[in-house]
C-alpha cells in the first residue's frame, strides 16, 4: 500500500500544469480564429452594403455612386475595393428605363497579425465579393 502512494507522489501538481499547457495551446488558436472570422465578416458586410447602396443610388438616379461607395468603404474600413457596374439589357446608355442594374463589389481581407515579411500578407488574404441587383423604373429619366 505504501508503494502505491510513493509512486503517485511524483505526479502531484502535474494535472494542473498539463491543464494549463493544453488550455493555452487550445485557447490561442481559438482566439485567433475568432479575430480572423470577425474581420472577414465585417468586410463581407461592408462589400454587401456597398453593392446594395450603389445599385440603389444608380437606379434612383439621385446622388453620386462614387461618393456612396467611398462612404461605405470608410464606414467598414475597407481599403482596396473594386466595383463593377453592368446593365441588362445592354443598352447604349446605362442606366436606362426598365433596365436591371448589376453592381459587384469585391475586396480582399488581410488576416490579423500577419507581418508584411516576404510577401506573407498577400498570401494571407481572403477575397470577399457581393453582388446587388436593382431594377430601374420604367419611367426613369436621365437627369
Amino acid at each position: 500500500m505504501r508503494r502505491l502512494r510513493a509512486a503517485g507522489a511524483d505526479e502531484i501538481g502535474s494535472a494542473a500544469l498539463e491543464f494549463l499547457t493544453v488550455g493555452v495551446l487550445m485557447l490561442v488558436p481559438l482566439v485567433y480564429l475568432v479575430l480572423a472570422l470577425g474581420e472577414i465578416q465585417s468586410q463581407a458586410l461592408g462589400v454587401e452594403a456597398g453593392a446594395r447602396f450603389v445599385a440603389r443610388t444608380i437606379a434612383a438616379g439621385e446622388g453620386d455612386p462614387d461618393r456612396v461607395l467611398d462612404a461605405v468603404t470608410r464606414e467598414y474600413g475597407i481599403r482596396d475595393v473594386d466595383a463593377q457596374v453592368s446593365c441588362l439589357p445592354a443598352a447604349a446608355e446605362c442606366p436606362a428605363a426598365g433596365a436591371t442594374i448589376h453592381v459587384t463589389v469585391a475586396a480582399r481581407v488581410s488576416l490579423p497579425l500577419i507581418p508584411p515579411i516576404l510577401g506573407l500578407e498577400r498570401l494571407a488574404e481572403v477575397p470577399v465579393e457581393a453582388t446587388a441587383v436593382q431594377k430601374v423604373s420604367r419611367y426613369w429619366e436621365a437627369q
Side-chain angles (χ1 to χ4, degrees):
M1 191 75 156
R2 214 177 233 305
R3 289 186 181 161
L4 290 177
R5 282 191 190 157
D10 295 342
E11 300 284 328
I12 292 177
S14 67
L17 181 63
E18 290 170 4
F19 179 75
L20 287 174
T21 304
V22 171
V24 167
L25 289 177
M26 297 291 280
L27 185 64
V28 170
L30 183 63
V31 168
Y32 184 79
L33 180 66
V34 168
L35 289 174
L37 289 177
E39 185 68 24
I40 293 169
Q41 181 67 23
S42 170
Q43 300 291 313
L45 289 173
V47 296
E48 191 274 329
R52 184 169 21 106
F53 288 133
V54 168
R56 286 180 182 174
T57 301
I58 294 171
E62 299 172 359
D64 182 16
D66 292 329
R67 289 185 60 199
V68 170
L69 186 60
D70 288 342
V72 171
T73 55
R74 256 193 334 270
E75 181 73 27
Y76 285 93
I78 302 170
R79 287 179 297 278
D80 298 325
V81 66
D82 179 34
Q84 297 176 349
V85 178
S86 62
C87 293
L88 289 177
E93 186 178 323
C94 181
T100 302
I101 297 174
H102 292 256
V103 177
T104 302
V105 177
R108 299 187 67 78
V109 181
S110 297
L111 295 178
L113 305 175
I114 303 294
I117 299 172
L118 301 175
L120 290 177
E121 74 279 2
R122 288 188 309 253
L123 295 175
E125 289 182 338
V126 178
V128 290
E129 181 178 293
T131 300
V133 178
Q134 188 72 33
K135 183 80 171 169
V136 179
S137 172
R138 289 182 284 161
Y139 306 111
W140 186 84
E141 293 180 12
Q143 297 175 353

